[in-house]
Amino acid sequence: MKAKKRKYSFGAIGKRLSHYLKDKKHVIFFVALALIASTIFAIFAPVVTKDVTDSIADSISKNTDIDFSYIGQQLIILAALYILSAGFAYYATMRTTYLSQLAIKRLRADIQEKLNKLTLNVLDQSERGDLLSRVTNDATTLSGALESNLTQILVQATSIIGIIVMMLVLNVQLSLIFFIAIPLSYFVMKLITKKTQVLFRRQQQELGALNGLIEEVYDGHLIVKSFNHEAKSAQKFDDINQRFFKSYLSSRFYSGLSAPLMKLINNLAYIGICVVGGIFVITGTLTIGGIQAFLIYANNIASPTALISNNLNFIQSGAAAAERIFEFLDREEEQADVGTAVLDVANAKGSIEFNNVEFGYIPERTLFHDVSLKAEPGEILAVVGPSGAGKTTLVNLLMRFYEINHGNILLEGLDVKELTRHNLRSAFGMVLQDTWLFDGTIEENIAYGKSGATREDVIAAAKKAQCDEFIKKLPLGYETRIGGDFTTLSEGECQLLAIARTIIADPKVLILDEATSSVDTRTEILITQAMEAMMKGRTTFIIAHRLFTIKNADKIIFMMEGDIKEVGSHAELMKLGGLYANLYLSASDN
Ligand SMILES: Nc1ncnc2c1ncn2[C@@H]1O[C@H](COP(=O)(O)OP(=O)(O)OP(=O)(O)O)[C@@H](O)[C@H]1O
């Protein structure tokens, strides 16, 4: 996998992140003050030790008594300076942690909101694992980078500035020797950063791919096993795992170079100072305390520089993560609801019209050219046709999961575009082939269809959906946990629960995707009865597979290549002797 070049600079990432802390400028201001205060207190400490050393050296050279009371006083000042510096540094660290976690919390909220706003087209075209990796891993990486590493960098950067100022005050010539090291360090760091930026990005990409594969194999573990593809999946996993391992190691190889190189450059500068400083002391241009203080500064500057270069690696992986999150946040969103019409869902009858609808999932390929269709309230419409004919698309458009290009779709005489999606979708109930049940009790799963549903509502819906009987036989009855890791129900039972969940919602229009998988005869009878109870008095679109359902529908809509080819009752279409009649006859023969 080739890593793309960065789209966002550090500055752009910082700017976008700072947007999340717009209302916390005062906290940022106090953090900056605390950092400066902590640095000032810390960098004055060597000045105090300088005075102590000079005082002792003076006494020795003049053969006078050492002034212990002065030294004691200075040592108390020294302790106070260190305590104050540590106190302010602690405050700054705590507040930076607060700020970075707040920014991440807000960013996560944006990510969550974005997930609900993404167009289905974007979701269809995204790899789920990669998407989830952006939401989870990348957010965590960024959070770690911001919290510990950014704080460290801020603390260390301010102390570097402070130390440089103090060095200049102490001795300009010695400072110049030391400062030669700075552009050198900068150059080395820049070289390493350039290399590692790309590597860190690749590392996050490989992690996303790894998660994608784990998710894919976990979701489809039955299929993987049934096709004996375990070995192939394991091989694919090994390949990606190996690539992740390699990209991790190579990013760490380069990033690991930076700290020792910085230290080496610093040590060389340190030697230079010792030599030249020694000459200055001998010639009397610098006191012993002065050179001691200077060496403390030179030593002190080495550790923040190494820390910064170390932390920069984490900041870089944080930047790569931030970039992936921003890419996600910039993806296409559903058009905002602009319509002002309101559907009175409670009193709606369920009439539907498609008028000259044109639609394509991708601009280059129109699927529906000119689809028109009318459903009267309470009618059952069986949508049939070969695979890929556009049956699912028809119901997707009805619920406005995708936007049409031309024409209109009316529900109760109102253009679905003029309604809010929430208002529109509250008129619909869906039972799909893949029954989705969440991790919770049976009662919670049925009650999901109606907010504020009582136990009585749940039992009434379960009775209509023919599932009360089997639920009562379970040791924990309605309290039985299902979904997630607890799924112990049969496929047929899950379908019955999904029907109960739709019945409780009492929708005006039903969309049923008839299951193709076979269940035992008794369950099939139960499902048929439950479906019939559910369809009573509601306009129903069934993507039908069973001849029994199709024959009993009020209207059959025969679709092919994105167009409605025939519409009519079973008897009418048989009489017509067209495409439907052919399909029916060949299916009956089989
Ligand atoms: N999200 C999508 N993005 C792009 N093309 C799509 C998308 N969903 C479906 N299609 C294409 O649109 C066409 C119609 O698909 P649709 O799912 O509506 O058919 P269908 O009649 O329901 O088929 P099946 O009986 O196999 O479920 C197919 O060619 C399909 O490949």
Side-chain angles (χ1 to χ4, degrees):
M1 194 183 297
K2 191 152 168 43
K4 280 186 273 166
K5 238 183 116 50
R6 298 181 68 91
K7 243 169 66 185
Y8 289 82
S9 64
F10 276 124
I13 290 172
K15 200 167 160 199
R16 190 152 174 185
L17 279 175
S18 66
H19 186 73
Y20 289 96
L21 297 173
K22 263 196 323 213
D23 56 333
K24 296 288 169 196
K25 283 192 183 127
H26 58 290
V27 185
I28 298 173
F29 175 72
F30 285 121
V31 167
L33 274 189
L35 281 173
I36 294 170
S38 161
T39 310
I40 290 176
F41 290 123
I43 60 173
F44 268 107
V47 176
V48 178
T49 54
K50 167 186 174 289
D51 290 347
V52 171
T53 311
D54 281 346
S55 149
I56 296 171
D58 202 39
S59 305
I60 293 171
S61 67
K62 290 183 182 150
N63 216 0
T64 55
D65 285 345
I66 293 173
D67 188 350
F68 282 109
S69 82
Y70 173 74
I71 291 172
Q73 226 177 43
Q74 291 302 95
L75 288 181
I76 290 170
I77 294 175
L78 193 64
L81 285 176
Y82 279 131
I83 290 170
L84 281 169
S85 168
F88 279 110
Y90 178 72
Y91 170 82
T93 309
M94 286 296 106
R95 295 315 271 167
T96 319
T97 301
Y98 162 75
L99 287 174
S100 51
Q101 286 308 310
L102 184 70
I104 289 290
K105 179 177 155 230
R106 291 175 173 177
L107 183 70
R108 281 207 173 102
D110 263 11
I111 294 174
Q112 163 64 25
E113 206 179 311
K114 183 77 186 184
L115 275 174
N116 290 329
K117 283 192 196 159
L118 283 179
T119 64
L120 282 177
N121 263 333
V122 169
L123 286 176
D124 294 340
Q125 286 155 22
S126 310
E127 202 190 316
R128 265 176 69 192
D130 184 63
L131 213 64
L132 292 180
S133 186
R134 286 175 199 243
V135 179
T136 51
N137 291 334
D138 289 333
T140 311
T141 308
L142 178 61
S143 151
L146 278 185
E147 189 191 318
S148 50
N149 309 106
L150 188 66
T151 319
Q152 282 291 333
I153 286 192
L154 286 178
V155 172
Q156 306 306 340
T158 23
S159 70
I160 290 179
I161 296 171
I163 292 174
I164 289 176
V165 173
M166 290 310 285
M167 282 174 141
L168 281 170
V169 170
L170 269 175
N171 190 299
V172 178
Q173 288 99 319
L174 274 189
S175 303
L176 289 180
I177 296 178
F178 191 75
F179 295 160
I180 294 172
I182 292 179
L184 199 63
S185 309
Y186 174 79
F187 179 71
V188 170
M189 218 137 92
K190 182 113 189 138
L191 264 184
I192 293 174
T193 313
K194 208 170 148 193
K195 185 82 194 161
T196 48
Q197 264 182 9
V198 179
L199 291 170
F200 278 121
R201 198 185 153 87
R202 183 177 304 165
Q203 185 189 311
Q204 291 299 111
Q205 278 174 355
E206 299 293 5
L207 190 59
L210 203 61
N211 285 328
L213 185 74
I214 293 172
E215 166 134 0
E216 196 179 288
V217 173
Y218 180 76
D219 276 356
H221 67 281
L222 278 183
I223 307 291
V224 173
K225 281 191 172 40
S226 70
F227 278 97
N228 284 327
H229 266 239
E230 288 110 313
K232 270 194 186 153
S233 292
Q235 181 58 46
K236 203 168 160 192
F237 182 87
D238 281 349
D239 290 347
I240 304 182
N241 203 8
Q242 179 65 15
R243 287 209 304 268
F244 176 65
F245 173 72
K246 271 190 174 165
S247 65
Y248 189 92
L249 284 192
S250 46
S251 68
R252 289 303 181 274
F253 171 78
Y254 287 103
S255 62
L257 276 178
S258 59
L261 280 177
M262 293 296 118
K263 214 166 171 66
L264 178 70
I265 295 170
N266 265 306
N267 284 341
L268 292 176
Y270 200 74
I271 294 171
I273 292 165
C274 286
V275 174
V276 180
I279 297 170
F280 284 166
V281 173
I282 294 165
T283 54
T285 27
L286 195 67
T287 62
I288 295 226
I291 181 124
Q292 180 203 28
F294 204 93
L295 285 174
I296 292 176
Y297 285 131
N299 196 34
N300 284 356
I301 212 167
S303 80
T305 320
L307 261 173
I308 286 186
S309 68
N310 234 355
N311 282 316
L312 264 185
N313 299 323
F314 291 103
I315 291 286
Q316 275 177 48
S317 59
E323 198 176 22
R324 280 163 51 83
I325 294 174
F326 293 155
E327 251 173 38
F328 166 77
L329 288 177
D330 291 340
R331 294 213 181 156
E332 189 192 342
E333 285 185 7
E334 271 185 348
Q335 280 172 23
D337 286 320
V338 285
T340 47
V342 180
L343 173 72
D344 177 6
V345 177
N347 294 311
K349 301 269 181 307
S351 69
I352 284 167
E353 257 180 76
F354 277 63
N355 294 313
N356 312 101
V357 171
E358 188 194 300
F359 169 74
Y361 286 101
I362 39 174
E364 313 82 75
R365 198 181 147 224
T366 307
L367 179 65
F368 285 9
H369 294 93
D370 185 15
V371 168
S372 295
L373 164 77
K374 207 164 175 182
E376 302 297 342
E379 255 184 358
I380 296 174
L381 298 98
V383 189
V384 293
S387 185
K391 307 181 291 289
T392 310
T393 309
L394 194 77
V395 299
N396 279 343
L397 296 184
L398 197 52
M399 291 186 75
R400 220 179 131 202
F401 288 134
Y402 298 85
E403 301 292 339
I404 59 175
N405 305 340
H406 290 295
N408 59 36
I409 300 173
L410 308 180
L411 169 63
E412 218 63 15
L414 297 167
D415 191 331
V416 294
K417 259 195 168 151
E418 294 301 316
L419 302 170
T420 63
R421 289 180 179 85
H422 184 265
N423 185 210
L424 167 72
R425 289 173 192 166
S426 58
F428 286 90
M430 261 181 142
V431 181
L432 301 178
Q433 278 197 40
D434 277 344
T435 30
W436 174 79
L437 297 169
F438 62 85
D439 178 1
T441 63
I442 288 186
E443 181 172 354
E444 285 163 355
N445 267 282
I446 297 178
Y448 187 79
K450 178 182 170 184
S451 62
T454 61
R455 168 60 73 99
E456 285 67 42
D457 294 335
V458 169
I459 294 176
K463 280 187 174 152
K464 277 190 200 151
Q466 310 290 336
C467 48
D468 179 59
E469 210 175 300
F470 90 77
I471 296 171
K472 278 199 305 211
K473 280 189 193 145
L474 297 167
L476 292 175
Y478 282 85
E479 301 299 326
T480 309
R481 270 192 96 99
I482 53 166
D485 295 336
F486 304 94
T487 316
T488 47
L489 301 179
S490 74
E491 215 172 295
E493 288 166 341
C494 289
Q495 278 174 29
L496 291 177
L497 287 185
I499 293 173
R501 182 174 63 194
T502 308
I503 288 179
I504 207 171
D506 191 21
K508 301 298 158 188
V509 185
L510 275 177
I511 290 176
L512 310 179
D513 192 354
E514 212 170 47
T516 42
S517 53
S518 52
V519 287
D520 64 85
T521 322
R522 194 185 121 69
T523 315
E524 173 140 9
I525 293 170
L526 288 181
I527 291 176
T528 310
Q529 286 171 352
M531 291 265 201
E532 279 172 357
M534 179 168 59
M535 292 190 289
K536 209 164 271 164
R538 307 178 213 272
T539 313
T540 307
F541 282 80
I542 317 181
I543 299 178
H545 302 286
R546 295 186 307 168
L547 291 178
F548 172 77
T549 319
I550 299 170
K551 269 178 76 175
N552 288 301
D554 296 309
K555 262 184 204 156
I556 295 161
I557 299 162
F558 188 90
M559 296 194 73
M560 212 162 135
E561 291 166 3
D563 282 317
I564 297 178
K565 301 285 184 190
E566 293 171 10
V567 179
S569 67
H570 173 72
E572 285 164 359
L573 294 189
M574 289 307 287
K575 206 167 147 200
L576 187 73
L579 294 162
Y580 171 76
N582 274 342
L583 179 88
Y584 180 79
L585 291 175
S586 60
S588 313
D589 284 351
N590 286 339

